Amino acid sequence: MPKPHSSALFETYNARFVDPQTVADTFVLRDKEFRLLCQQNNSIIIGPRGSGKTTLLKMLKVGAQIRWKTMKQAKTLRRFSFTPIYVGADRQFDLLVGSLRDFKQITELVEILGKALLSVRVKFACLDTVKEIVDDRLEDIENLSHQYVRLNKEKEVRICNTLSLSWGLSERAHSFLEVRSLLHKHISKINTIIERVRYNYIKNIEQVVSSEEFITHDPIYSCAAFIDAFNSIAGTDSKVWALCIDELEIMPDPLQKYLFACLRSIDQRIVLKLATSPFSAITWERASVDRPMPGHDFTVINLAYGNKREAKRFTARLLDALLLAEGTRFQAKRPTERGEAVLGESPIREGATLPAGGGPYAPPDGAHYRRFVSLREKDVGFRQFLEDRAIVLEKLHKEPESRRAGQARKYIWQVAIRNEFGPTNVFTRPDQTEARRPPSKKRIPDVYLGYDSLLTICEGNPRTTIGLLRPIVKHFTGVGGVVKKEVQAAYLQAAIAKYISLLSTIPVNDDGGRSAIDLLDQIGEFLSHEVNGQIFKPEPSLSLKIDNNVPLPVREALGSAMNQGALVMLSDDIDAFDYGAISGARLRLSYLLCPRYHLPLTFGQPLRLSTILGRERGGRIRRHLSMRDLFEMDEDDKS
């Protein structure tokens, strides 16, 4: 069996670096979220790393719409008439903040130069959009012809002359190409100002402001100035534009606050579409009357699936797309059948029945029955639980579904994990002496593998899905037949190790030398003890409440981990899933981390995080997955 190589892990493009046409060709539509995005109002797209924020925004671009070919996609194009102006992420903001740390008026300078830099990016994006909407191909495309603008050379010259004045260009431009060339000079001048500040040639804000006219421009003004010129000269007075700004979270704090405030009051010809991660270290006055409010000033589009079934359906569609990209063809019509042909069935599959009949709860061969009986025989705590609740496993299959749900179905995952990783259990030897059975030493047990479990672990996150399942699909294409469980385990193990490596780079800024993974390990081990401890708990705590006793550095580190998808928000303090802090929020660990901590792929009762952090770390010591797992497997995993 081939080893998983580091180059194969998370082998997926980042939509930030991909042109809109390629994005369109590979896009799997999230219909509900895209429908909300197409509404002619302000929106914030919120989602962790790899959840598809950039892809959704780029799919609005006219250049991407040209490549939409199916009837369903064509109908989607009729849902909006505004013209999108896409502004991609700019890592130059990191350079900006890092270069000015020693300047006395750092906040004011970052705000001024941050706005100037974003304004230049908005201007470039306006020109990119013009290039798309004057494309003659649009005129003959039924669902896109409303975006087409016929623009002759005379009008182009007039627009460029006007922009030269309103955008503070050093010369009068006569073509869009000349405008772009002059805008590059603005970028160069911003870099020069930053260098002059670093070397103390500029000592105060007044010198910065007076250096160049365009330094005082802000992004919304820049966009509005473009719309004034274009709409009046091109004869599109009623045209509405959508300013789509990606990756808000990497921008300096003052710039984030500015853009967020713009959701409350903005030019009526502009709708604002922002994309960001769920957590921000900025302190938002959530009750302030001046604060933009979700549902009134903007629509929240949350890309973190709250429903496991919806997430699995979307992941199944992505898996289908991966199979199609590899040229794989199946006779099976249902996605589940195609997926199981590659990954096989998972041990936990609620609807499974055996050929012998009777359903999964029926003795003697029902999958759930055998699992429950196995735990009853070796786990004193579980056996006592069954006695206390008067649950007779041999009769479960005869119970109505409503009663069976309360007696067994809600415990299926918990029982399966406890079978693998439960406490040392007493059993009787043939000579009637007692001994203790240790828990399983398998790193990735079969319960986490197969179609249902792997799709659940992916959680509908495109980057995780492609990174984990594409190598498995490639293996299937090369070998044929259901991919062996040990192969799946190797790729899952490697993906987790890669993820841990990423999370370990997030610091906890409390002088303790810890990283986010240290916090997650403490949380994960505590929750694992809830499930796998000596006492069987029918309602174990598997989610967290971020209470006020949690120190600020811990909240910020966990917020950054949530932005990477390590934690999933179940609710926030006002149930709006709004952008900002995580204080008062209820979170759970990502399902991708559950194999690391021996947790079920479910979430249970909430527990105050301060309670977990206040406990001494203890319990079982697991072998931590490391970067070595990217390249090696145990000998018994090879085939």
Side-chain angles (χ1 to χ4, degrees), residues 294-505:
H296 297 279
D297 301 302
F298 63 94
T299 298
V300 176
I301 304 173
N302 196 313
L303 298 187
Y305 280 102
N307 184 290
K308 185 189 294 187
R309 290 183 179 179
E310 290 181 4
K312 287 174 64 177
R313 279 196 293 266
F314 181 72
T315 306
R317 293 171 59 200
L318 284 176
L319 175 58
D320 258 3
L322 291 174
L323 290 168
L324 183 63
E326 291 295 323
T328 307
R329 297 289 187 272
F330 293 97
Q331 292 184 345
K333 295 182 178 180
R334 295 175 61 246
T336 301
E337 294 174 334
R338 294 192 291 271
E340 289 184 345
V342 178
L343 302 173
E345 292 185 4
S346 297
I348 295 183
R349 186 168 177 262
E350 178 62 24
T353 58
L354 298 177
Y361 297 95
D365 296 321
H368 299 332
Y369 171 78
R370 287 187 284 109
R371 195 175 292 118
F372 274 65
V373 167
S374 173
L375 190 60
R376 181 180 65 183
E377 291 176 352
K378 63 186 180 182
D379 191 322
V380 176
F382 183 61
R383 187 159 61 245
Q384 187 62 52
F385 164 76
L386 294 175
E387 292 176 3
D388 292 343
R389 297 290 181 93
I391 299 174
V392 180
L393 299 181
E394 286 70 22
K395 296 182 178 180
L396 273 178
H397 65 293
K398 297 180 179 179
E399 299 282 1
E401 178 59 27
S402 58
R403 181 171 173 79
R404 189 162 58 227
Q407 289 190 331
R409 181 154 55 85
K410 63 190 298 185
Y411 309 123
I412 290 173
W413 262 106
Q414 190 178 345
V415 167
I417 296 300
R418 199 169 170 86
N419 259 313
E420 293 282 353
F421 303 110
T424 301
N425 298 297
V426 176
F427 72 99
T428 303
R429 295 192 182 100
D431 61 2
Q432 301 305 305
T433 59
E434 290 188 344
R436 294 184 178 273
R437 179 184 292 109
S440 169
K441 293 182 180 179
K442 287 194 297 183
R443 288 178 292 170
I444 303 288
D446 288 355
V447 72
Y448 293 116
L449 306 173
Y451 179 77
D452 286 272
S453 293
L454 286 181
L455 262 62
T456 298
I457 284 173
C458 289
E459 299 203 66
N461 184 295
R463 194 171 301 173
T464 301
T465 301
I466 298 172
L468 175 58
L469 297 186
R470 179 183 281 170
I472 297 177
V473 167
K474 286 181 177 292
H475 182 93
F476 169 82
T477 304
V479 177
V482 175
V483 178
K484 293 180 179 180
K485 290 294 193 292
E486 57 265 30
V487 177
Q488 298 180 32
Y491 283 117
L492 177 57
Q493 181 181 335
I496 295 171
K498 182 78 170 180
Y499 200 28
I500 295 305
S501 178
L502 171 67
L503 296 172
S504 66
T505 64

Side-chain angles (χ1 to χ4, degrees), residues 4-154:
H5 298 290
S6 59
S7 62
L9 299 175
F10 294 89
E11 184 187 349
T12 173
Y13 65 78
N14 187 324
R16 183 199 311 161
F17 306 115
V18 181
D19 64 272
Q21 293 79 13
T22 301
V23 172
D25 287 342
T26 58
F27 185 47
V28 177
L29 181 67
R30 286 185 61 161
D31 190 67
K32 176 184 175 182
E33 290 76 13
F34 196 74
R35 190 162 56 245
L36 288 172
L37 187 61
C38 290
Q39 293 177 0
Q40 195 160 301
N41 54 24
N42 297 330
S43 308
I44 289 187
I45 308 173
I46 300 175
R49 164 187 177 271
S51 59
K53 303 185 296 293
T54 296
T55 301
L56 273 179
L57 276 186
K58 279 195 170 183
M59 283 312 302
L60 288 176
K61 286 175 64 67
V62 174
Q65 294 176 38
I66 290 177
R67 300 290 281 266
W68 287 36
K69 300 178 177 67
T70 69
M71 288 300 296
K72 183 176 181 179
Q73 290 174 335
K75 291 178 181 177
T76 303
L77 299 179
R78 302 190 191 107
R79 291 177 180 163
F80 65 95
S81 58
F82 57 76
T83 301
I85 302 171
Y86 174 78
V87 183
D90 191 340
R91 290 293 170 182
Q92 194 170 3
F93 289 120
D94 293 335
L95 174 65
L96 171 66
V97 175
S99 301
L100 306 178
R101 294 189 188 282
D102 298 328
F103 192 77
K104 291 181 180 180
Q105 296 167 287
I106 176 66
T107 301
E108 294 88 345
L109 186 59
V110 166
E111 182 172 9
I112 290 171
L113 292 181
K115 282 186 178 180
L117 180 58
L118 183 58
S119 296
V120 176
R121 295 304 182 196
V122 167
K123 294 167 186 175
F124 274 118
C126 290
L127 298 179
D128 292 340
T129 301
V130 169
K131 183 178 180 180
E132 292 178 338
I133 63 177
V134 299
D135 188 335
D136 292 335
R137 290 180 296 170
L138 296 180
E139 191 173 16
D140 299 321
I141 300 176
E142 179 184 358
N143 296 298
L144 280 175
S145 58
H146 63 282
Q147 295 283 12
Y148 177 65
V149 177
R150 188 183 301 277
L151 200 66
N152 58 33
K153 185 61 180 178
E154 178 189 356

Side-chain angles (χ1 to χ4, degrees), residues 108-213:
E108 294 88 345
L109 186 59
V110 166
E111 182 172 9
I112 290 171
L113 292 181
K115 282 186 178 180
L117 180 58
L118 183 58
S119 296
V120 176
R121 295 304 182 196
V122 167
K123 294 167 186 175
F124 274 118
C126 290
L127 298 179
D128 292 340
T129 301
V130 169
K131 183 178 180 180
E132 292 178 338
I133 63 177
V134 299
D135 188 335
D136 292 335
R137 290 180 296 170
L138 296 180
E139 191 173 16
D140 299 321
I141 300 176
E142 179 184 358
N143 296 298
L144 280 175
S145 58
H146 63 282
Q147 295 283 12
Y148 177 65
V149 177
R150 188 183 301 277
L151 200 66
N152 58 33
K153 185 61 180 178
E154 178 189 356
K155 289 183 178 180
E156 179 181 346
V157 171
R158 290 175 57 197
I159 292 172
C160 292
N161 286 173
T162 305
L163 291 179
S164 299
L165 296 173
S166 58
W167 282 356
L169 303 181
S170 57
E171 304 172 24
R172 177 168 291 191
H174 297 82
S175 69
F176 293 122
L177 181 60
E178 289 180 17
V179 173
R180 296 186 72 91
S181 178
L182 294 170
L183 286 176
H184 280 293
K185 291 185 178 180
H186 284 186
I187 295 290
S188 178
K189 288 178 180 178
I190 291 175
N191 290 333
T192 299
I193 291 172
I194 293 174
E195 290 300 304
R196 290 175 63 82
V197 170
R198 286 182 62 192
Y199 292 103
N200 210 28
Y201 291 110
I202 293 180
K203 302 179 184 298
N204 55 59
I205 294 294
E206 288 72 23
Q207 288 179 277
V208 175
V209 172
S210 61
S211 61
E212 296 285 348
E213 175 192 345

